Every structure is written in C-alpha cells, then in structure tokens.
Amino acid sequence: MHELSVKDLCLRMPNGQSLVEGLSFTVEPGQVVALMGPSGSGKSSILNWLTGMVDSHLHASGEVWLGPRQLTSLPTEKRRLGLMLQQDYLFPHMSVGDNLRFGLRGGSRRERTERVRQVLQDASLAGLEQRDPATLSGGQRARVSLLRTLLADPCALLLDEPFSALDTTLREQIRRLTWDSAARLPVLLVTHDMADVPLQARVLRIGESSPADSLGMHPQPI
Amino acid sequence: MSLPARTVTAMKPIIMLRHRGLVWLLVSLFMLPVLLGLCGTVAPALGFTPTFAPGDGFAQILTDPRLLPALGLSTFTGLLATFLVLAITVMALVCVHDTRWWSWMNAAIPPVLAIPHAAMAVGLVFLLAPSGALVRLVSPALTGWERPPLDWIVPDAQGWSLIVGLVIKETPFLLLAAIAQLPALDVDASLRIGRTLGYAPARCWSRLILPRLYPRIRLTLLIILAFNLTVVDMAILLGPGNPPTLSVLLMTLVNDPLSRAAASAGALLLVAVVGLSFLLLFALEIFVSGIARRRRQSGVRGHGFSALRVLGKGVVMLILSTSLVTMLLLLVWSFTRRWRFPDAFPAQWTLSNWSTRTDVLMQPALTTLIIAMCVAALAISTAIAWLELERRGAAPRLDGIWFVPLLVPQISLLFGWQAVALWAGLDGTWWMVVYTHWLYTFPYVILILAVPWRELAPEWGHAAHTLGAGDWRVLWRVRLPMLIRPLSQAAAVAVAVSVALYLPTLLIGAGRHQTLATELVTSVGGVDRRVVAALAVLQSILPLLAFVLALMVPRWQSRRLARQSTRSLTRTAVA
C-alpha cells in the first residue's frame, strides 16, 4: 500500500473567491485523516477533486499522488480511490449479491460468487445475497455498501460523512467495521461530528485558520 | 355566516354524488370516441354495415397486391426509425451528459418539438431534395452540377427519407421524456459511485442508469413506435408513393365508398401490426436485459472511448440542428422571389408570397388558431377538473387509460369515429373536430400537469380554507396561480399538438375545415414551393408563439408582484 498525498491544492469559486488555498497533506497507509470544518468550507469539494469529479464551475489546481503514481490527470475510474457517501447508494435494480459482484474485480463466475458469499458471511450478512437492497435494514445497507467499496480493491478510502445517516447504535458498529476493514489503507474522512473521528486519527481543520497550523492529532478522545 | 355542522354533513353525500357524476362524465367523454371509433372500424371490416361499406373487407384487402409491399414498408420504416430514435437518445444521454453541450441540447429541444410534423417534413424535402439547399450549397463548386442530379429523389422509393424525418422529429420527444426522469434516478451519484468502483462512464450508464431509466420511458417509446408505424402526414410528404406505407394506402381506400370495408379491415391489420411490434419490443427488452444482467455481474470495467463520445455528440447535434435549419430554410423560401439552381442563396427577395396569397394563408391560419385555442382551453379545464377530483379522492388515478388514443393507430380509431359521426349526421361539424382534437391533446396536458398538481402541498389549500376561502376561491387564487408555469407549458403543448393534427381534422372535419396542417399536406404536390414554405412557416410559428407565451406568462406574474411590492415599499418609505 502507498500513501495518498495532496500537494498545493487550490479551489476557487467562479467569482475568484478562494475556497481552499495551498492545501497539502499526506495520508499514510493505515492512517485516518479527518477533514473538518464548517459547512461550505470545501470539505466535500476536496473529496470530489480527489475522485476527479469536482464541480465544473470550480477552478481547481494542485496534485494528487498515490505513492509514486500521479492521479491528477487520470479519469475517476482509473484512480482506484474507494468512495463512501452519506447515502449508501445500493443500486435498486440489483440484488445484494449483484451489488457486491458489481464492485468485485476479475475472477471466474464461480470464484466471484464464492467470494461474495464468503464476504457476506464474514460480515454476518449470510443468506442475504438474493435480497432486494430495499428490504435491508439501515445497518445492513451500510455494511453492504462498505463491502462493495472494499471489494473493488481500492488503494485509498475516501469517506464523506458515511455515518451521519445512521442511528447512534448502528453508528458505532459501522464505524468499527469500517476502521477494521480499512486498517491497511490510507483513509480520508470528511465529517462534522467529532465522534466519527477515531482516536488515532489526524485532524485537518479547513476554513478556520491556515491548514498547516491545524494539522495535528485528535484533540481529545471521545 | 357558516352552515351548521349537521347541514354540512348532510351535504357531503350530495357533493360526492356530484363528483362521481363528473368523474363518469369525463371518463365517458374520453372513452366514447375510443370505443365507438374502434367499433366503427370493426363493424365495416366484418361486413356488419353493408350499405355503408359493401363487400368483404378482409377478402378485399388481403387480395390487394399493394398490401404486402405497403405492410413491409410501414414495418421497416416504423421499426427502424424507432430503434434509431432509442439508440440516438441513449447516445445523447451517455455522450452529452455532464458536458458543456448539455445545456445547449436542453435549450434546443423545446423549439424543435414545437415544429409540427408536416412543416418539418416539408423543410426536409427542401433541404435534402436533389434541388435542395444541401446540393445548392456545394454546387457546382464541389459537384460540378449545373442542374439538379437525377441519381436520387426525395421522397425515395425505399423509405429512407421518411426514416430520417421520423428520427429527426421523434428523437427530441424521447430525449425530453428521458431527461425529465433523470433527477429521480440520482444520475450524478450513480455515476460517481460507479466510476470510483472503476467503471468507465459509458459502462456506468449501461449498467447503472439505463436499466432504471428504460422502464420510465417505455410508454413514451411505445407511443413513438405506434406513431412511426402509422403516421400519415409525414408518410405522404416523405414516404414513397408506389407502394406507399400501409396507412397512406388505407387513406386512398377510405376515400372510395366501394373500398371502405377494405380500408376498415386494413385499419385492423394496422392495429395488429402495432400490437405485434409492441410484443417484439417486449421480447427484445427481455433478451437485452438478460444479457445486461450477465454483463453486470462480470466485473469488466471497460474503457472510455473518447472517439465514440465525439461521434455521439456529433449525431445528436446534427439531429437537433437539422430541425432548426429546416425552419430557417422554410423562412428563406417564404421570402424568395427567384432562386435558381445551383445558386446557394436566392437572387431576389419578396414579400409577395405572404401579401398576395392571404386567401391561401390567412383562412387556414385563423381556423387553426381558433381550433387550437378552444382545444387548449378545453384540455386544460378538463385536466384541472380531473386532477382536482383526484385530489379530493373522488376520482382514481387513470394514467394508463389517458394514453390509449396515442397507442392505438390514429387511422384505425378515426375511420370508425368518422363512420359514427357520419351515421349521427355530425361529421364536418366544428365541435366534433374540436372534440377529436381534445382526445389527442388531453393525454399530453394531463401528463404535464399531473406531477406538479399532485406534488403541490395540500397545506396551501388548508391555509387558505382556514382564512375562510371556499373550494373555488382556493382553486382560483391559490392553486392555479401557484401552478402557472406547468399550466402555461401544458397550454402551449396543447396548442402545438392541435396545430400539428392532420388526420383528425381531415377525417372528422370532412374537408370542411381547412387548417394549416391539411392545407400544407394537400399543397405540397401542386402549389408553388414558396407558398408551401409560407404555409409551413405559419404552421410552425403558432406553436412557437404559444411556447414563448408560456415562458412569458409566469414572468409577467412574478414581475407584477415585484412591481406591486416596490410600489408598496416606496409608499411606506414616503410615509
């Protein structure tokens, strides 16, 4: 696994107003960096830029690297950055198994089916392969969504408030599953809730003061 | 003064009864021409009306040597045109979405849709014919032609011109229906998730979005398929003459009293052709979705083919701009005095095509306008009545039924409806023409109004009721002004549909009501090209004006409010 590096990222609004100015940071494999800041400070725009899908009206400059590989000019599908959003976006026209197979790369039909069955069993979701995603509970949906992202074998994980739609009990459960599953990946987490940030995470506050000053460890354990 | 509670309770059943009566009246008004029309076609075909339509209809039509070529031509042009419409729509979505062309495409669709079929067909003939604008632009410099070439003609014998015309006219319709459904599918998020899972954009569309989009545009596609298989006006203008398409052949048969039974039997054959084509489409759907399901599970990510994207953009832009170019060409021809081949532009211009031919132009324009306005008013009021009854729980949702007239071939329904009108002595009456236009306009109007009407929060009405407003006042002062935008759009669409209707005016009007559509189709063969162009321009201007008005009315409403507000603020400041 390689580290995910952002170098000198600038995001500007169409009127020239700066949203993010000269932001640089590195996320090591197994490390979680939490991007925090007030609404409209550009947290989600940074994630969009990392995936190569920044809003066309924003002017963006900077570089993104995954180890020795520069991703900046690569299309989204070639970057191998896993993404989880606030909503789980399980495709409603596919069964749970099909959703997972959609994420899976390569392998024969039998291998793929076996892998999906194994993964579901490991996540305590055995027997749900043929189920319509609409019939799953919120926690089950969140787990399937996470599994789908991880089955695509990403080199880094980007999380955009993935726990905010879950209730308190489920949140802790899904958080733990996420950190355990992504233990060897660089993880960039966007959240406004300090409770979502794991203890060992680095917190990067944007939109408040100079980003370089705000890099540091989790301010207080929760 | 309010009524005592007991009186109100006692009135409820009466109101419900009145509502139920209105529901039955509206449904009967709508279904009457459909059912009687179909019966009126079936009866002569089966020999039940020997005095009106003598002979064995099926025996006559099945032994007619023109039947098979006409049937083949109709099926070939209708199916191929529909397939191309679907393919180009998909291409437009995949290749143009999320590019800077997207907003241009969205802006170009409404004016293109407003152009009536007949006007578009005439414009295409002027563009693609051997003496048309395309050849003139490159002759003689690139071709060496000093005279129009004789290598091809428009309309051609194989039906390609008709296919081109149908594709150009119907693609924007399907595209509009598809674009309207995209917000419900959360396309951006699906693309984002699919692409971060490693799939190229085209694969994301084919595996994530199209399988969910297709069921939502299926009905529109079926309407297009039925139209393409049975169209008359465009087939007369762009289709081959010998053999013609089946619908055009049936039109020639129905005008001969001895062949009426054959025409009715042929109209039933056309219903069967449309039904079989629907079945073919469903079978293809099952086949393609089976393949798609297997592919979806394969995990193959695919590549982004930039060359294909450019090609797709090119095709879509070509189709939309051709429609606009045909309009421009018609406008040029309508002001032309002299335009010799191979000149690229007219040598002399004139206003006389308009000023000296008012007899040919103004009377049909006036008739068209009056019919269109009456039809629009009728369609809007009946749609409002239905949706209001639906909102009050007095009427069920009948979305499927409203589309029946658009799925049944016009010719099959109108032959019978014309026979019924003849039998009742009502053929050729003005109100029967308006009634029949309403039948074809109402589905579009209710389609446009249903979603905003149903989504308007009931709390607005509740708030007005608590302020003492009755049902009528709530409707006039709250709901209708709040829905002014969709109402204006629906009115514009109603005008556009009515202006374009050819067959209902011709058959039910019994030739007594000359509209721009009927005049244009009959004029093409014999009348001066410049007058034909003027007729086509007039026919296109009416719906365009309606669409411009539909844009302006909501703006006027908000401007009036802004003016009142400014005045009030000024008065307060002065005080």
Side-chain angles (χ1 to χ4, degrees):
Chain A
M1 285 296 159
H2 296 289
E3 75 284 358
L4 176 73
S5 308
V6 169
K7 292 179 184 169
D8 208 17
L9 168 63
C10 297
L11 290 175
R12 287 205 176 83
M13 309 277 267
N15 60 9
Q17 192 193 332
S18 176
L19 194 63
V20 176
E21 192 66 52
L23 179 68
S24 302
F25 61 89
T26 300
V27 192
E28 298 293 338
Q31 189 184 34
V32 177
V33 167
L35 268 178
M36 298 190 78
S39 298
S41 57
K43 306 186 295 288
S44 294
S45 299
I46 294 172
L47 242 56
N48 288 347
W49 175 76
L50 281 169
T51 57
M53 294 185 89
V54 70
D55 285 348
S56 54
H57 69 272
L58 281 181
H59 176 75
S61 64
E63 290 176 6
V64 53
W65 292 76
L66 195 63
R69 203 162 64 106
Q70 190 177 172
L71 308 182
T72 321
S73 55
L74 287 181
T76 309
E77 58 272 20
K78 302 271 184 214
R79 296 188 180 204
R80 298 195 79 154
L81 300 176
L83 177 71
M84 279 189 69
L85 303 170
Q86 189 174 347
Q87 251 180 287
D88 50 58
Y89 289 109
L90 292 182
F91 303 120
H93 60 298
M94 298 185 198
S95 66
V96 169
D98 285 349
N99 261 287
L100 294 176
R101 271 188 286 275
F102 188 76
L104 205 52
R105 283 174 195 268
S108 68
R109 201 172 166 187
R110 186 180 294 177
E111 285 166 353
R112 294 165 66 78
T113 309
E114 190 47 46
R115 178 87 195 277
V116 165
R117 196 167 296 148
Q118 189 59 50
V119 162
L120 281 170
Q121 201 166 352
D122 294 348
S124 313
L125 295 168
L128 298 185
E129 196 182 338
Q130 301 302 325
R131 287 270 291 273
D132 177 350
T135 63
L136 301 186
S137 68
Q140 287 171 331
R141 289 179 67 97
R143 272 182 283 168
V144 174
S145 176
L146 175 67
L147 291 177
R148 185 180 66 182
T149 308
L150 295 172
L151 280 174
D153 203 11
C155 298
L157 198 56
L158 311 176
L159 309 173
D160 193 354
E161 309 212 23
F163 315 118
S164 57
L166 302 169
D167 62 43
T168 327
T169 336
L170 277 176
R171 257 189 189 203
E172 191 44 48
Q173 203 185 343
I174 301 298
R175 268 187 217 137
R176 206 171 303 135
L177 179 70
T178 308
W179 306 138
D180 289 349
S181 314
R184 285 162 51 188
L185 294 174
V187 179
L188 186 62
L189 167 72
V190 164
T191 183
H192 62 272
D193 188 350
M194 208 59 195
D196 287 343
V197 183
L199 287 178
Q200 69 282 15
R202 286 167 65 206
V203 176
L204 175 56
R205 290 190 182 278
I206 59 165
E208 289 175 349
S209 57
S210 158
D213 298 337
S214 62
L215 265 175
M217 296 299 283
H218 195 311
Q220 59 180 94
I222 295 174
Chain B
M1 201 174 76
S2 59
L3 291 166
R6 203 186 300 165
T7 320
V8 173
T9 322
M11 276 174 67
K12 266 199 168 172
I14 300 170
I15 294 171
M16 283 310 287
L17 210 63
R18 209 189 302 153
H19 284 172
R20 205 161 293 164
L22 202 54
V23 168
W24 277 107
L25 178 72
L26 283 173
V27 174
S28 311
L29 271 178
F30 189 80
M31 290 311 290
L32 193 76
V34 178
L35 295 176
L36 284 183
L38 288 176
C39 290
T41 306
V42 171
L46 297 179
F48 293 144
T49 53
T51 46
F52 172 71
D56 182 346
F58 279 105
Q60 283 178 28
I61 191 75
L62 290 174
T63 51
D64 192 322
R66 293 169 296 177
L67 176 72
L68 273 183
L71 193 64
L73 188 68
S74 284
T75 317
F76 168 66
T77 52
L79 288 178
L80 185 58
T82 309
F83 171 74
L84 288 174
V85 166
L86 179 63
I88 293 168
T89 301
V90 168
M91 220 186 284
L93 294 173
V94 176
C95 301
V96 184
H97 182 263
D98 219 9
T99 68
R100 62 201 164 93
W101 293 96
W102 185 251
S103 51
W104 185 91
M105 191 176 83
N106 276 285
I109 290 174
V112 170
L113 271 180
I115 304 171
H117 295 89
M120 165 84 72
V122 171
L124 269 178
V125 173
F126 289 3
L127 182 71
L128 302 175
S131 61
L134 270 185
V135 175
R136 285 167 192 259
L137 270 181
V138 292
S139 299
L142 296 180
T143 60
W145 293 331
E146 292 290 343
R147 285 163 176 248
L150 301 170
D151 303 339
W152 81 93
I153 51 162
V154 174
D156 61 301
Q158 289 76 32
W160 292 107
S161 321
L162 178 59
I163 292 172
V164 169
L166 290 171
V167 169
I168 288 177
K169 191 68 193 95
E170 296 305 311
T171 304
F173 181 40
L174 190 62
L175 203 47
L176 186 73
I179 290 171
Q181 296 297 334
L182 292 185
L185 300 177
D186 222 340
V187 171
D188 289 337
S190 297
L191 280 173
R192 211 172 152 202
I193 295 289
R195 292 187 71 185
T196 54
L197 289 172
Y199 288 86
R203 293 281 164 116
C204 292
W205 273 94
S206 67
R207 290 174 187 189
L208 303 180
I209 298 159
L210 295 178
R212 288 185 287 149
L213 176 66
Y214 182 78
R216 291 167 176 263
I217 59 168
R218 186 191 286 119
L219 182 64
T220 314
L221 189 67
L222 290 178
I223 292 171
I224 291 172
L225 178 57
F227 177 83
N228 286 350
L229 285 164
T230 63
V231 64
V232 174
D233 51 357
M234 282 189 95
I236 291 174
L237 297 168
L238 287 173
N242 191 23
T245 61
L246 184 55
S247 47
V248 177
L249 175 67
L250 297 180
M251 279 302 290
T252 55
L253 290 177
V254 84
N255 288 326
D256 175 8
L258 293 176
S259 304
R260 270 186 198 151
S264 296
L268 291 183
L269 274 183
L270 205 54
V271 174
V273 169
V274 170
L276 284 175
S277 304
F278 286 179
L279 288 179
L280 179 71
L281 194 70
F282 293 143
L284 274 174
E285 220 180 287
I286 293 167
F287 177 67
V288 171
S289 65
I291 294 177
R293 201 174 304 125
R294 276 199 295 282
R295 289 251 169 115
R296 227 163 29 217
Q297 295 172 7
S298 71
V300 176
R301 263 48 181 176
H303 305 283
F305 296 110
S306 49
L308 272 182
R309 276 176 84 88
V310 172
L311 180 74
K313 269 183 228 169
V315 171
V316 175
M317 295 309 148
L318 181 71
I319 282 183
L320 291 176
S321 44
T322 304
S323 312
L324 300 174
V325 166
T326 56
M327 276 303 97
L328 198 66
L329 193 59
L330 288 171
L331 201 64
V332 169
W333 265 108
S334 72
F335 289 105
T336 295
R337 182 195 291 275
R338 201 160 160 215
W339 190 355
R340 282 195 330 181
F341 191 88
D343 296 349
F345 297 100
Q348 286 176 309
W349 300 84
T350 182
L351 286 174
S352 64
N353 300 330
W354 291 87
S355 57
T356 59
R357 302 306 298 270
T358 45
D359 54 327
V360 183
L361 300 174
M362 285 312 141
Q363 190 52 47
L366 202 64
T367 311
T368 307
L369 187 64
I370 292 170
I371 292 177
M373 285 173 72
C374 292
V375 168
L378 196 62
I380 293 281
S381 18
T382 42
I384 289 173
W386 183 266
L387 291 168
E388 195 56 13
L389 286 167
E390 200 185 276
R391 195 187 58 77
R392 292 177 192 190
R397 280 193 185 187
L398 295 179
D399 294 354
I401 286 186
W402 307 133
F403 293 97
V404 171
L406 305 182
L407 294 170
V408 176
Q410 268 192 16
I411 213 163
S412 310
L413 199 151
L414 291 172
F415 276 4
W417 186 230
Q418 185 199 27
V420 172
L422 268 170
W423 172 78
L426 297 170
D427 66 310
T429 55
W430 180 83
W431 69 268
M432 271 297 273
V433 175
V434 170
Y435 181 21
T436 314
H437 274 227
W438 170 79
L439 182 72
Y440 287 102
T441 312
F442 182 75
Y444 293 104
V445 170
I446 205 152
L447 177 75
I448 295 168
L449 287 182
V451 174
W453 199 278
R454 287 168 189 158
E455 282 179 356
L456 187 70
E459 285 77 9
W460 295 107
H462 298 167
H465 279 305
T466 57
L467 294 170
D471 285 344
W472 279 105
R473 197 168 159 74
V474 170
L475 180 69
W476 280 106
R477 299 300 305 273
V478 180
R479 279 203 189 91
L480 294 184
M482 285 181 84
L483 294 168
I484 190 74
R485 199 177 293 272
L487 280 167
S488 320
Q489 284 167 357
V493 169
V495 169
V497 172
S498 171
V499 167
L501 282 176
Y502 165 71
L503 209 55
T505 322
L506 186 74
L507 290 179
I508 309 302
R512 282 177 226 160
H513 303 278
Q514 278 98 31
T515 61
L516 290 167
T518 57
E519 284 307 285
L520 186 58
V521 177
T522 46
S523 304
V524 165
V527 181
D528 182 352
R529 189 180 261 207
R530 291 163 293 188
V531 180
V532 172
L535 270 169
V537 169
L538 258 182
Q539 202 203 7
S540 310
I541 280 176
L542 291 182
L544 272 176
L545 279 178
F547 277 105
V548 171
L549 269 177
L551 279 178
M552 300 301 289
V553 168
R555 283 187 196 169
W556 284 334
Q557 190 198 32
S558 52
R559 264 189 214 157
R560 201 184 60 179
L561 186 65
R563 259 204 310 275
Q564 280 173 355
S565 172
T566 314
R567 247 182 260 143
S568 155
L569 278 170
T570 318
R571 249 182 266 138
T572 317
V574 169

